[in-house]
PDB file of all heavy atoms in Angstrom:
ATOM      1  N   ILE A 629      19.111   7.072   0.304  1.00  0.00           N
ATOM      2  CA  ILE A 629      18.459   7.367  -0.974  1.00  0.00           C
ATOM      3  C   ILE A 629      17.023   6.878  -0.952  1.00  0.00           C
ATOM      4  O   ILE A 629      16.739   5.743  -0.562  1.00  0.00           O
ATOM      5  CB  ILE A 629      19.217   6.658  -2.126  1.00  0.00           C
ATOM      6  CG1 ILE A 629      20.607   7.262  -2.286  1.00  0.00           C
ATOM      7  CG2 ILE A 629      18.451   6.779  -3.434  1.00  0.00           C
ATOM      8  CD1 ILE A 629      21.428   6.612  -3.377  1.00  0.00           C
ATOM      9  N   LEU A 683      20.210   7.505 -13.062  1.00  0.00           N
ATOM     10  CA  LEU A 683      21.651   7.279 -13.092  1.00  0.00           C
ATOM     11  C   LEU A 683      22.393   8.609 -13.283  1.00  0.00           C
ATOM     12  O   LEU A 683      23.355   8.911 -12.567  1.00  0.00           O
ATOM     13  CB  LEU A 683      21.989   6.307 -14.231  1.00  0.00           C
ATOM     14  CG  LEU A 683      23.436   5.880 -14.348  1.00  0.00           C
ATOM     15  CD1 LEU A 683      23.876   5.084 -13.120  1.00  0.00           C
ATOM     16  CD2 LEU A 683      23.668   5.042 -15.610  1.00  0.00           C
ATOM     17  N   LEU A 686      22.218  10.719 -10.086  1.00  0.00           N
ATOM     18  CA  LEU A 686      23.124  10.234  -9.040  1.00  0.00           C
ATOM     19  C   LEU A 686      24.578  10.521  -9.412  1.00  0.00           C
ATOM     20  O   LEU A 686      25.399  10.827  -8.540  1.00  0.00           O
ATOM     21  CB  LEU A 686      22.935   8.739  -8.815  1.00  0.00           C
ATOM     22  CG  LEU A 686      21.824   8.317  -7.845  1.00  0.00           C
ATOM     23  CD1 LEU A 686      21.848   6.813  -7.652  1.00  0.00           C
ATOM     24  CD2 LEU A 686      21.969   8.999  -6.491  1.00  0.00           C
ATOM     25  N   ILE A 704      25.566   2.851   1.613  1.00  0.00           N
ATOM     26  CA  ILE A 704      24.351   3.499   1.100  1.00  0.00           C
ATOM     27  C   ILE A 704      23.145   2.746   1.638  1.00  0.00           C
ATOM     28  O   ILE A 704      23.109   1.505   1.610  1.00  0.00           O
ATOM     29  CB  ILE A 704      24.347   3.492  -0.445  1.00  0.00           C
ATOM     30  CG1 ILE A 704      25.572   4.252  -0.963  1.00  0.00           C
ATOM     31  CG2 ILE A 704      23.061   4.116  -0.986  1.00  0.00           C
ATOM     32  CD1 ILE A 704      25.639   4.381  -2.468  1.00  0.00           C
ATOM     33  N   HIS A 706      19.073   2.326   1.142  1.00  0.00           N
ATOM     34  CA  HIS A 706      17.972   2.606   0.223  1.00  0.00           C
ATOM     35  C   HIS A 706      16.640   2.383   0.932  1.00  0.00           C
ATOM     36  O   HIS A 706      16.420   1.308   1.511  1.00  0.00           O
ATOM     37  CB  HIS A 706      18.011   1.656  -0.975  1.00  0.00           C
ATOM     38  CG  HIS A 706      19.214   1.856  -1.846  1.00  0.00           C
ATOM     39  ND1 HIS A 706      19.194   2.681  -2.943  1.00  0.00           N
ATOM     40  CD2 HIS A 706      20.468   1.335  -1.775  1.00  0.00           C
ATOM     41  CE1 HIS A 706      20.393   2.653  -3.527  1.00  0.00           C
ATOM     42  NE2 HIS A 706      21.172   1.843  -2.839  1.00  0.00           N
ATOM     43  N   ILE A 721      22.339  -5.493   0.191  1.00  0.00           N
ATOM     44  CA  ILE A 721      21.934  -5.664  -1.209  1.00  0.00           C
ATOM     45  C   ILE A 721      22.930  -6.550  -1.950  1.00  0.00           C
ATOM     46  O   ILE A 721      24.121  -6.271  -2.006  1.00  0.00           O
ATOM     47  CB  ILE A 721      21.782  -4.297  -1.907  1.00  0.00           C
ATOM     48  CG1 ILE A 721      20.574  -3.573  -1.290  1.00  0.00           C
ATOM     49  CG2 ILE A 721      21.591  -4.470  -3.407  1.00  0.00           C
ATOM     50  CD1 ILE A 721      20.316  -2.198  -1.834  1.00  0.00           C
ATOM     51  N   ASP A 722      22.378  -7.654  -2.465  1.00  0.00           N
ATOM     52  CA  ASP A 722      23.133  -8.535  -3.355  1.00  0.00           C
ATOM     53  C   ASP A 722      22.136  -9.028  -4.407  1.00  0.00           C
ATOM     54  O   ASP A 722      20.983  -8.579  -4.418  1.00  0.00           O
ATOM     55  CB  ASP A 722      23.787  -9.693  -2.576  1.00  0.00           C
ATOM     56  CG  ASP A 722      22.765 -10.489  -1.776  1.00  0.00           C
ATOM     57  OD1 ASP A 722      21.554 -10.379  -2.074  1.00  0.00           O
ATOM     58  OD2 ASP A 722      23.164 -11.231  -0.864  1.00  0.00           O
ATOM     59  N   ALA A 723      22.566  -9.955  -5.247  1.00  0.00           N
ATOM     60  CA  ALA A 723      21.685 -10.393  -6.338  1.00  0.00           C
ATOM     61  C   ALA A 723      20.382 -10.988  -5.794  1.00  0.00           C
ATOM     62  O   ALA A 723      19.300 -10.777  -6.358  1.00  0.00           O
ATOM     63  CB  ALA A 723      22.421 -11.406  -7.202  1.00  0.00           C
ATOM     64  N   VAL A 726      18.030  -8.164  -4.580  1.00  0.00           N
ATOM     65  CA  VAL A 726      17.451  -7.459  -5.725  1.00  0.00           C
ATOM     66  C   VAL A 726      16.356  -8.316  -6.365  1.00  0.00           C
ATOM     67  O   VAL A 726      15.267  -7.822  -6.690  1.00  0.00           O
ATOM     68  CB  VAL A 726      18.550  -7.098  -6.763  1.00  0.00           C
ATOM     69  CG1 VAL A 726      17.942  -6.610  -8.069  1.00  0.00           C
ATOM     70  CG2 VAL A 726      19.470  -6.022  -6.185  1.00  0.00           C
ATOM     71  N   LEU A 744      14.067   0.196  -7.268  1.00  0.00           N
ATOM     72  CA  LEU A 744      15.089  -0.625  -7.932  1.00  0.00           C
ATOM     73  C   LEU A 744      15.935   0.198  -8.900  1.00  0.00           C
ATOM     74  O   LEU A 744      17.143  -0.050  -9.041  1.00  0.00           O
ATOM     75  CB  LEU A 744      14.436  -1.790  -8.680  1.00  0.00           C
ATOM     76  CG  LEU A 744      14.068  -2.987  -7.799  1.00  0.00           C
ATOM     77  CD1 LEU A 744      13.160  -3.948  -8.544  1.00  0.00           C
ATOM     78  CD2 LEU A 744      15.331  -3.716  -7.330  1.00  0.00           C
ATOM     79  N   GLN A 745      15.308   1.185  -9.532  1.00  0.00           N
ATOM     80  CA  GLN A 745      16.094   2.071 -10.421  1.00  0.00           C
ATOM     81  C   GLN A 745      17.199   2.754  -9.631  1.00  0.00           C
ATOM     82  O   GLN A 745      18.325   2.893 -10.094  1.00  0.00           O
ATOM     83  CB  GLN A 745      15.189   3.152 -11.020  1.00  0.00           C
ATOM     84  CG  GLN A 745      14.473   2.715 -12.277  1.00  0.00           C
ATOM     85  CD  GLN A 745      13.669   3.882 -12.831  1.00  0.00           C
ATOM     86  OE1 GLN A 745      12.696   4.317 -12.217  1.00  0.00           O
ATOM     87  NE2 GLN A 745      14.090   4.389 -13.968  1.00  0.00           N
ATOM     88  N   GLY A 746      16.858   3.195  -8.430  1.00  0.00           N
ATOM     89  CA  GLY A 746      17.846   3.848  -7.558  1.00  0.00           C
ATOM     90  C   GLY A 746      18.936   2.877  -7.152  1.00  0.00           C
ATOM     91  O   GLY A 746      20.123   3.231  -7.125  1.00  0.00           O
ATOM     92  N   ILE A 747      18.543   1.656  -6.834  1.00  0.00           N
ATOM     93  CA  ILE A 747      19.525   0.643  -6.412  1.00  0.00           C
ATOM     94  C   ILE A 747      20.468   0.326  -7.576  1.00  0.00           C
ATOM     95  O   ILE A 747      21.691   0.302  -7.410  1.00  0.00           O
ATOM     96  CB  ILE A 747      18.795  -0.626  -5.907  1.00  0.00           C
ATOM     97  CG1 ILE A 747      18.101  -0.305  -4.572  1.00  0.00           C
ATOM     98  CG2 ILE A 747      19.764  -1.804  -5.758  1.00  0.00           C
ATOM     99  CD1 ILE A 747      17.216  -1.411  -4.034  1.00  0.00           C
ATOM    100  N   ASP A 748      19.890   0.118  -8.770  1.00  0.00           N
ATOM    101  CA  ASP A 748      20.724  -0.197  -9.942  1.00  0.00           C
ATOM    102  C   ASP A 748      21.721   0.934 -10.212  1.00  0.00           C
ATOM    103  O   ASP A 748      22.907   0.688 -10.468  1.00  0.00           O
ATOM    104  CB  ASP A 748      19.847  -0.403 -11.188  1.00  0.00           C
ATOM    105  CG  ASP A 748      19.096  -1.726 -11.129  1.00  0.00           C
ATOM    106  OD1 ASP A 748      19.507  -2.594 -10.329  1.00  0.00           O
ATOM    107  OD2 ASP A 748      18.097  -1.888 -11.857  1.00  0.00           O
ATOM    108  N   ALA A 749      21.218   2.169 -10.156  1.00  0.00           N
ATOM    109  CA  ALA A 749      22.085   3.321 -10.444  1.00  0.00           C
ATOM    110  C   ALA A 749      23.187   3.424  -9.391  1.00  0.00           C
ATOM    111  O   ALA A 749      24.359   3.643  -9.722  1.00  0.00           O
ATOM    112  CB  ALA A 749      21.254   4.599 -10.481  1.00  0.00           C
ATOM    113  N   ALA A 750      22.838   3.229  -8.136  1.00  0.00           N
ATOM    114  CA  ALA A 750      23.836   3.354  -7.067  1.00  0.00           C
ATOM    115  C   ALA A 750      24.860   2.230  -7.150  1.00  0.00           C
ATOM    116  O   ALA A 750      26.053   2.443  -6.894  1.00  0.00           O
ATOM    117  CB  ALA A 750      23.151   3.360  -5.705  1.00  0.00           C
ATOM    118  N   LEU A 751      24.423   1.023  -7.521  1.00  0.00           N
ATOM    119  CA  LEU A 751      25.368  -0.090  -7.657  1.00  0.00           C
ATOM    120  C   LEU A 751      26.353   0.197  -8.789  1.00  0.00           C
ATOM    121  O   LEU A 751      27.544  -0.114  -8.692  1.00  0.00           O
ATOM    122  CB  LEU A 751      24.633  -1.408  -7.944  1.00  0.00           C
ATOM    123  CG  LEU A 751      23.901  -2.038  -6.746  1.00  0.00           C
ATOM    124  CD1 LEU A 751      23.071  -3.238  -7.211  1.00  0.00           C
ATOM    125  CD2 LEU A 751      24.891  -2.475  -5.662  1.00  0.00           C
ATOM    126  N   ALA A 752      25.835   0.838  -9.879  1.00  0.00           N
ATOM    127  CA  ALA A 752      26.712   1.145 -11.011  1.00  0.00           C
ATOM    128  C   ALA A 752      27.737   2.214 -10.629  1.00  0.00           C
ATOM    129  O   ALA A 752      28.898   2.152 -11.037  1.00  0.00           O
ATOM    130  CB  ALA A 752      25.875   1.601 -12.203  1.00  0.00           C
ATOM    131  N   LEU A 753      27.296   3.193  -9.822  1.00  0.00           N
ATOM    132  CA  LEU A 753      28.184   4.324  -9.512  1.00  0.00           C
ATOM    133  C   LEU A 753      29.075   4.094  -8.300  1.00  0.00           C
ATOM    134  O   LEU A 753      30.135   4.697  -8.176  1.00  0.00           O
ATOM    135  CB  LEU A 753      27.347   5.584  -9.274  1.00  0.00           C
ATOM    136  CG  LEU A 753      26.749   6.201 -10.532  1.00  0.00           C
ATOM    137  CD1 LEU A 753      25.680   7.211 -10.184  1.00  0.00           C
ATOM    138  CD2 LEU A 753      27.851   6.874 -11.348  1.00  0.00           C
ATOM    139  N   PHE A 754      28.610   3.284  -7.363  1.00  0.00           N
ATOM    140  CA  PHE A 754      29.379   3.042  -6.132  1.00  0.00           C
ATOM    141  C   PHE A 754      29.580   1.528  -5.970  1.00  0.00           C
ATOM    142  O   PHE A 754      29.120   0.935  -4.992  1.00  0.00           O
ATOM    143  CB  PHE A 754      28.619   3.566  -4.909  1.00  0.00           C
ATOM    144  CG  PHE A 754      28.274   5.020  -4.919  1.00  0.00           C
ATOM    145  CD1 PHE A 754      27.085   5.472  -5.499  1.00  0.00           C
ATOM    146  CD2 PHE A 754      29.101   5.966  -4.311  1.00  0.00           C
ATOM    147  CE1 PHE A 754      26.747   6.825  -5.484  1.00  0.00           C
ATOM    148  CE2 PHE A 754      28.760   7.311  -4.303  1.00  0.00           C
ATOM    149  CZ  PHE A 754      27.595   7.744  -4.889  1.00  0.00           C
ATOM    150  N   PRO A 755      30.280   0.876  -6.929  1.00  0.00           N
ATOM    151  CA  PRO A 755      30.336  -0.591  -6.899  1.00  0.00           C
ATOM    152  C   PRO A 755      31.052  -1.143  -5.663  1.00  0.00           C
ATOM    153  O   PRO A 755      30.811  -2.284  -5.283  1.00  0.00           O
ATOM    154  CB  PRO A 755      31.097  -0.948  -8.188  1.00  0.00           C
ATOM    155  CG  PRO A 755      31.804   0.299  -8.591  1.00  0.00           C
ATOM    156  CD  PRO A 755      31.036   1.448  -8.056  1.00  0.00           C
ATOM    157  N   ASP A 756      31.895  -0.332  -5.031  1.00  0.00           N
ATOM    158  CA  ASP A 756      32.678  -0.868  -3.914  1.00  0.00           C
ATOM    159  C   ASP A 756      32.069  -0.591  -2.540  1.00  0.00           C
ATOM    160  O   ASP A 756      32.591  -1.026  -1.528  1.00  0.00           O
ATOM    161  CB  ASP A 756      34.100  -0.287  -3.947  1.00  0.00           C
ATOM    162  CG  ASP A 756      34.780  -0.655  -5.257  1.00  0.00           C
ATOM    163  OD1 ASP A 756      34.518  -1.776  -5.749  1.00  0.00           O
ATOM    164  OD2 ASP A 756      35.526   0.190  -5.796  1.00  0.00           O
ATOM    165  N   LEU A 757      30.954   0.175  -2.523  1.00  0.00           N
ATOM    166  CA  LEU A 757      30.373   0.509  -1.220  1.00  0.00           C
ATOM    167  C   LEU A 757      29.305  -0.502  -0.829  1.00  0.00           C
ATOM    168  O   LEU A 757      28.489  -0.889  -1.671  1.00  0.00           O
ATOM    169  CB  LEU A 757      29.673   1.869  -1.301  1.00  0.00           C
ATOM    170  CG  LEU A 757      30.448   3.125  -1.007  1.00  0.00           C
ATOM    171  CD1 LEU A 757      29.482   4.309  -1.025  1.00  0.00           C
ATOM    172  CD2 LEU A 757      31.144   3.051   0.346  1.00  0.00           C
ATOM    173  N   PRO A 758      29.264  -0.922   0.438  1.00  0.00           N
ATOM    174  CA  PRO A 758      28.163  -1.786   0.850  1.00  0.00           C
ATOM    175  C   PRO A 758      26.837  -1.029   0.783  1.00  0.00           C
ATOM    176  O   PRO A 758      26.781   0.161   1.125  1.00  0.00           O
ATOM    177  CB  PRO A 758      28.503  -2.151   2.296  1.00  0.00           C
ATOM    178  CG  PRO A 758      29.618  -1.284   2.720  1.00  0.00           C
ATOM    179  CD  PRO A 758      30.235  -0.651   1.507  1.00  0.00           C
ATOM    180  N   GLN A 759      25.785  -1.695   0.312  1.00  0.00           N
ATOM    181  CA  GLN A 759      24.473  -1.052   0.184  1.00  0.00           C
ATOM    182  C   GLN A 759      23.427  -1.921   0.865  1.00  0.00           C
ATOM    183  O   GLN A 759      23.521  -3.150   0.860  1.00  0.00           O
ATOM    184  CB  GLN A 759      24.132  -0.845  -1.285  1.00  0.00           C
ATOM    185  CG  GLN A 759      25.274  -0.139  -2.028  1.00  0.00           C
ATOM    186  CD  GLN A 759      24.841   0.629  -3.255  1.00  0.00           C
ATOM    187  OE1 GLN A 759      23.669   0.925  -3.444  1.00  0.00           O
ATOM    188  NE2 GLN A 759      25.813   0.969  -4.086  1.00  0.00           N
ATOM    189  N   VAL A 760      22.439  -1.256   1.444  1.00  0.00           N
ATOM    190  CA  VAL A 760      21.445  -1.956   2.271  1.00  0.00           C
ATOM    191  C   VAL A 760      20.057  -1.459   1.901  1.00  0.00           C
ATOM    192  O   VAL A 760      19.870  -0.259   1.657  1.00  0.00           O
ATOM    193  CB  VAL A 760      21.741  -1.685   3.781  1.00  0.00           C
ATOM    194  CG1 VAL A 760      20.629  -2.217   4.673  1.00  0.00           C
ATOM    195  CG2 VAL A 760      23.085  -2.306   4.182  1.00  0.00           C
TER     196      VAL A 760
END
Side-chain angles (χ1 to χ4, degrees):
I629 293 179
L683 184 64
L686 274 185
I704 300 183
H706 294 267
I721 292 178
D722 56 18
V726 169
L744 279 167
Q745 274 183 292
I747 290 173
D748 287 342
L751 285 173
L753 286 166
F754 302 88
D756 300 325
L757 271 186
Q759 309 205 17
V760 172

